[in-house]
Amino acid sequence: MEYTVWNIAPIFLAPVLAFVINAFFGRKLPRNGDWLSTLSIFISFIFSARIFGDFVFGKFATDYFIHKTFTWFDLSYGANIWKVDMGIFIDNMTAIMLLMVSGVAFLIHLFSTWYMDHDEKHGRFFTFLPLFTSAMLGMVLSDNLFSLFIFWEIMGFCSYSLIGIYVKKEKAGDASLKAFMTTRVGDVFLLLGIVAIWMALGSVTYVDIYAAIAEGKFAGQSVIGISLATFAALCIFLGAMGKSAQFPLHVWLPDAMMGPTPGSALIHAATMVTAGVWISLRMYPLMVLGDITWFIAVIGAITAFGAATIAMVQTDIKAVLAYSTLSQLGYMMIGVGVGSYNAAFMHVITHAVFKACLFLSAGSVIHSVHEQEMPKLGGLRKYLPYTHFAMMCCTLAIAGIPFFSGFVSKDRILGDALFYGFMSGQNPLLAIVPILGFAGAGLTAFYMFRMMFLTFYGENKQHHDDHGHGHGHGDHAHGHDIHHEHLDARQNVPLLILAVFTLGFWFAGNLTGQDGIAVFGKKNEWFKILVEAPKVEKFVNSPRQPWSSVDSKPEAHLEHAHYHHQTGYAGPNPDEHKLHSAHVIGAILSIIIAFSGVLIAFLMYIKKSIKPLASKFPGFTTTLQNKYYFDNFYIDVLIKKGLLAFNRGLAWFDMGIYDRFAVDGWAWVNRQLYRASKWFDNVVVDAIGVDGTGVAVNLFNLVLRIVQSGKIQFYFIMLVMVLASYIWTLKV
């Protein structure tokens, strides 16, 4: 289709309109307007699907993109240019991301109409949920870092509102504040990076940044002694660390589960946390130029492994999923760091699908049994068969079991990490990246199946109703009996749709994801050949399209990407033989590690032939239960003893020095000046200048009155005296 603003804007504007209507009139609408929010996201999905079809199913070449701009404001005068352009940038990545965000968000909205039924925060929840989604869609469509930052902050506000929606719960309020403040740390750095690029280039548009890299405009420029490219790349990645909860800014994400479970699903799957990965991928050429990819890989590896270890000891089903999100985000960052661009983005998509399904499944369990502590559950698979099926599919995916999507994307990241750490000639210390990555993969399989076994298998520890009479949302609120789950369009269908897309062949084009069994043929591995790191050279002198015009950029000269028969990448690689070997070894290791994790969990929680290791390592277990004491360090040491002490020092300086001398001191000086001015005014001006002049005039007037008395005798005497004086002076 021909692209104009009218067939792109509804993707973003439909949920914005739903937010505005619900904010002002939601209480007067049926069901507080939840249907309106859901409908708006469905509209976004329909328009996104049209773009996805055009870009992915062959209408455009891999290099094709749409870039429309308009001038937001222009304060230029003469030769001084000061204007800000806004616009949209759509390429293959945008098309895939739009479909994922709108599709997953629509299913979450649909599930929420069941989950939030009769909830006291029903209306408020469906006010913020579409705004949250629209911010993510707007960020994906943005063509520059400035508008990205605006949508970035709107998401931060929405997450704050959704996490703390139950305002009467102190923990919910603390969690929302924690999320807001922690992400602000990263946001400050992101803003610094944007300002640095703006000061150097006069633009923060993606295409201008890519063109500047190609033309070498970053060369020779520095900020506080650091090269501009390194400074800007590092600041932007620190911003990504905050949003995507990377070590050490990860502490807010586990607490974010204090909000309603569908809200957690949206935060953990389709929005917010993936924003950091998204900007890292968009700015990947800058990350390479700034030479910080090794840093990104190390941070990702630490996050992936560290979060997986904590997840092993969690007993809250949502806490397990929260830490699994942290761990999987770490894998995405590993992908960015080791140059596995395609696989990192693929993991964003596959993770969004199975993580949304996992959270919604957890919500289904919690809503059905009113319990989320796994040791108090068990044996639920016969009561919740649809939820169990969906959650098992997603668990197989996240655990990296062959045939499922998590294996396809994560295995490729680990294969590239193996090459990066051991075969590419990098610093030997960077071998820590694949080591932690593979170790985290084994732990992931273990803790996810531990969750499944404790929740759905073994003896049921809840009261139950084997007859299973009736179902529906109202039933859940009238006791703790477990009712047999019946297929419900709003409760189960979203889960089952998401579960279908946990199969790997949707993304890999073949059944195993490793070219072992071709289902559609290798040429249909659309994801692998259509997503690649930006080639900065093609953006030099790239023309902008007016906002209101129809997309008219010729596409005939753009060549479609070709599948490489050995590496699978879109182009030849000088290390393709080593890379291919690394992927084969990585796939074998991944399968062995994943099944080992599942086997250990099975022996530990089903067969019970292995005792949990917590009793053998009480100290380490306590450390994990306390999340490596990061919260204690941040709150008790960094905040209470560091920041608060620093704050008290600032307060002392403010009150004792600045106020006392600068403010109160100036008050004393002003009082003295006032007194001096008052004296000068009273004595010099009033008494001498004003009153003295009056006295002098009066005195002179008195003399004149004496002289000018009008009496002839006085004048005669004065005349005689003058003549006598004159004669006397003549000395006659």
Side-chain angles (χ1 to χ4, degrees):
M1 68 181 178
E2 302 297 338
Y3 286 93
T4 67
V5 65
W6 299 110
N7 48 39
I8 296 174
I11 296 172
F12 165 71
L13 291 181
V16 170
L17 186 61
F19 160 73
V20 173
I21 294 175
N22 279 346
F24 289 98
F25 310 106
R27 292 183 179 180
K28 297 180 180 179
L29 295 176
R31 297 183 55 83
N32 292 323
D34 62 352
W35 56 272
L36 180 62
S37 299
T38 308
L39 176 63
S40 70
I41 304 300
F42 184 70
I43 292 172
S44 297
F45 173 73
I46 294 298
F47 281 89
S48 300
R50 296 182 67 181
I51 296 175
F52 177 82
D54 281 347
F55 272 85
V56 175
F57 296 131
K59 180 174 181 179
F60 300 125
T62 301
D63 289 345
Y64 195 82
F65 63 90
I66 297 171
H67 185 204
K68 291 180 175 293
T69 62
F70 68 93
T71 300
W72 188 23
F73 62 81
D74 187 354
L75 302 178
S76 303
Y77 62 96
N80 298 312
I81 306 300
W82 180 257
K83 70 175 184 177
V84 175
D85 290 337
M86 289 289 180
I88 56 171
F89 183 82
I90 301 177
D91 60 357
N92 285 324
M93 274 182 58
T94 307
I96 297 169
M97 195 72 172
L98 286 177
L99 187 76
M100 182 278 286
V101 173
S102 59
V104 171
F106 168 68
L107 295 174
I108 291 173
H109 275 69
L110 183 61
F111 179 87
S112 301
T113 60
W114 169 79
Y115 187 89
M116 296 298 291
D117 222 0
H118 305 301
D119 192 288
E120 59 176 339
K121 299 297 181 183
H122 182 272
R124 184 183 176 90
F125 183 77
F126 277 98
T127 299
F128 284 109
L129 210 58
L131 181 63
F132 201 175
T133 308
S134 69
M136 186 66 189
L137 292 169
M139 192 202 74
V140 173
L141 284 168
S142 293
D143 75 325
N144 66 81
L145 292 174
F146 183 60
S147 57
L148 178 144
F149 187 75
I150 293 174
F151 294 119
W152 183 281
E153 290 302 308
I154 294 174
M155 276 195 288
F157 166 72
C158 291
S159 67
Y160 169 79
S161 302
L162 288 172
I163 295 169
I165 197 168
Y166 297 117
V167 293
K168 295 180 181 177
K169 293 182 179 179
E170 185 177 355
K171 287 186 177 180
D174 292 344
S176 63
L177 190 60
K178 187 177 183 181
F180 191 79
M181 296 304 294
T182 307
T183 53
R184 292 288 77 70
V185 175
D187 294 355
V188 170
F189 285 102
L190 174 59
L191 190 57
L192 279 176
I194 295 173
V195 171
I197 295 174
W198 174 273
M199 296 300 291
L201 305 182
S203 172
V204 289
T205 305
Y206 298 150
V207 297
D208 290 338
I209 296 172
Y210 296 155
I213 293 172
E215 295 172 335
K217 292 183 178 178
F218 282 89
Q221 299 196 58
S222 62
V223 179
I224 56 174
I226 305 172
S227 77
L228 173 63
T230 302
F231 179 83
L234 190 60
C235 286
I236 290 173
F237 179 65
L238 288 172
M241 287 172 60
K243 222 61 164 180
S244 288
Q246 295 295 291
F247 167 84
L249 300 178
H250 63 283
V251 293
W252 67 270
L253 188 56
D255 291 357
M257 65 180 183
M258 292 305 297
T261 303
S264 302
L266 198 60
I267 293 172
H268 287 249
T271 64
M272 188 83 170
V273 296
T274 59
V277 184
W278 175 260
I279 194 174
S280 299
L281 291 170
R282 279 296 188 210
M283 289 292 102
Y284 180 74
L286 185 63
M287 306 290 177
V288 174
L289 184 66
D291 193 25
I292 67 163
T293 52
W294 66 271
F295 178 68
I296 298 173
V298 171
I299 290 294
I302 294 173
T303 305
F305 178 76
T309 57
I310 299 175
M312 291 193 305
V313 300
Q314 298 302 309
T315 56
D316 186 312
I317 189 171
K318 287 181 66 176
V320 174
L321 297 180
Y323 280 101
S324 77
T325 301
L326 282 177
S327 183
Q328 298 308 306
L329 289 168
Y331 284 106
M332 297 173 205
M333 288 302 184
I334 290 177
V336 176
V338 302
S340 189
Y341 191 90
N342 178 288
F345 182 59
M346 183 189 284
H347 203 54
V348 170
I349 304 301
T350 59
H351 173 263
V353 173
F354 61 66
K355 184 51 60 69
C357 186
L358 282 168
F359 263 103
L360 297 187
S361 300
S364 179
V365 170
I366 295 167
H367 202 284
S368 299
V369 302
H370 304 278
E371 181 59 65
Q372 58 192 80
E373 283 292 323
M374 295 185 298
K376 298 179 181 178
L377 302 174
L380 292 180
R381 70 183 187 282
K382 69 176 182 179
Y383 300 103
L384 306 172
Y386 300 109
T387 301
H388 167 254
F389 172 78
M391 207 161 190
M392 179 57 81
C393 289
C394 298
T395 301
L396 291 167
I398 194 175
I401 303 300
F403 307 107
F404 288 87
S405 60
F407 174 74
V408 174
S409 54
K410 189 162 61 177
D411 169 68
R412 295 178 187 193
I413 292 174
L414 291 175
D416 285 334
L418 194 63
F419 171 79
Y420 179 82
F422 289 102
M423 303 179 186
S424 63
Q426 295 276 359
N427 188 326
L429 292 177
L430 293 177
I432 194 69
V433 173
I435 291 173
L436 291 180
F438 279 102
L443 296 178
T444 301
F446 170 77
Y447 70 70
M448 287 304 298
F449 273 88
R450 168 179 174 265
M451 180 193 73
M452 288 298 297
F453 293 150
L454 287 176
T455 304
F456 291 100
Y457 292 84
E459 181 184 356
N460 176 248
K461 301 178 183 65
Q462 299 277 306
H463 298 293
H464 57 81
D465 176 8
D466 286 333
H467 301 292
H469 55 275
H471 70 97
H473 320 300
D475 296 336
H476 303 301
H478 299 302
H480 296 281
D481 289 342
I482 307 172
H483 295 170
H484 281 282
E485 184 182 44
H486 295 267
L487 187 62
D488 184 278
R490 294 183 298 163
Q491 178 188 1
N492 305 119
V493 171
L495 276 62
L496 296 176
I497 292 175
L498 290 169
V500 168
F501 287 97
T502 59
L503 294 174
F505 72 83
W506 294 109
F507 307 93
N510 63 67
L511 195 58
T512 63
Q514 290 294 322
D515 298 338
I517 303 175
V519 177
F520 300 122
K522 293 177 180 177
K523 290 184 179 179
N524 288 322
E525 292 192 31
W526 61 274
F527 206 111
K528 185 181 286 187
I529 64 173
L530 289 181
V531 176
E532 59 185 15
K535 295 176 181 175
V536 294
E537 296 81 9
K538 72 178 183 182
F539 294 97
V540 176
N541 298 322
S542 174
R544 288 170 165 77
Q545 299 173 20
W547 179 255
S548 57
S549 69
V550 177
D551 173 47
S552 57
K553 187 155 54 70
E555 56 180 291
H557 67 284
L558 298 174
E559 186 181 4
H560 284 244
H562 297 289
Y563 182 82
H564 196 267
H565 69 285
Q566 285 185 319
T567 65
Y569 289 96
N573 189 313
D575 295 317
E576 63 183 37
H577 179 68
K578 290 182 179 179
L579 197 56
H580 181 70
S581 300
H583 275 264
V584 172
I585 296 171
I588 295 172
L589 279 176
S590 295
I591 294 171
I592 294 173
I593 287 172
F595 279 105
S596 299
V598 177
L599 178 62
I600 293 172
F602 176 77
L603 295 176
M604 198 172 286
Y605 295 101
I606 298 296
K607 299 295 290 183
K608 300 187 185 301
S609 56
I610 300 177
K611 292 183 178 179
L613 300 178
S615 58
K616 294 183 180 179
F617 304 98
F620 185 57
T621 303
T622 303
T623 300
L624 294 180
Q625 289 171 337
N626 286 283
K627 309 162 191 173
Y628 291 108
Y629 298 100
F630 268 98
D631 283 339
N632 303 74
F633 172 74
Y634 284 141
I635 296 173
D636 296 335
V637 179
L638 185 62
I639 294 178
K640 290 184 177 179
K641 295 184 178 179
L643 294 179
L644 288 182
F646 181 65
N647 182 59
R648 286 192 291 271
L650 290 177
W652 173 83
F653 178 81
D654 182 51
M655 301 294 291
I657 304 296
Y658 188 79
D659 278 0
R660 183 178 179 184
F661 295 104
V663 179
D664 296 342
W666 272 113
W668 180 86
V669 171
N670 285 332
R671 283 195 297 270
Q672 302 309 315
L673 290 173
Y674 165 74
R675 292 187 182 121
S677 299
K678 185 178 179 181
W679 174 86
F680 182 83
D681 183 61
N682 291 337
V683 175
V684 178
V685 177
D686 283 352
I688 299 175
V690 179
D691 297 341
T693 303
V695 170
V697 170
N698 287 334
L699 182 61
F700 185 68
N701 180 53
L702 177 63
V703 173
L704 288 179
R705 280 190 301 166
I706 294 173
V707 175
Q708 298 293 333
S709 62
K711 293 178 180 180
I712 192 64
Q713 297 88 342
F714 179 76
Y715 297 149
F716 182 75
I717 293 171
M718 291 301 295
L719 180 62
V720 171
M721 288 178 68
V722 170
L723 289 173
S725 298
Y726 178 73
I727 293 170
W728 181 74
T729 56
L730 293 177
K731 295 181 180 179
V732 177

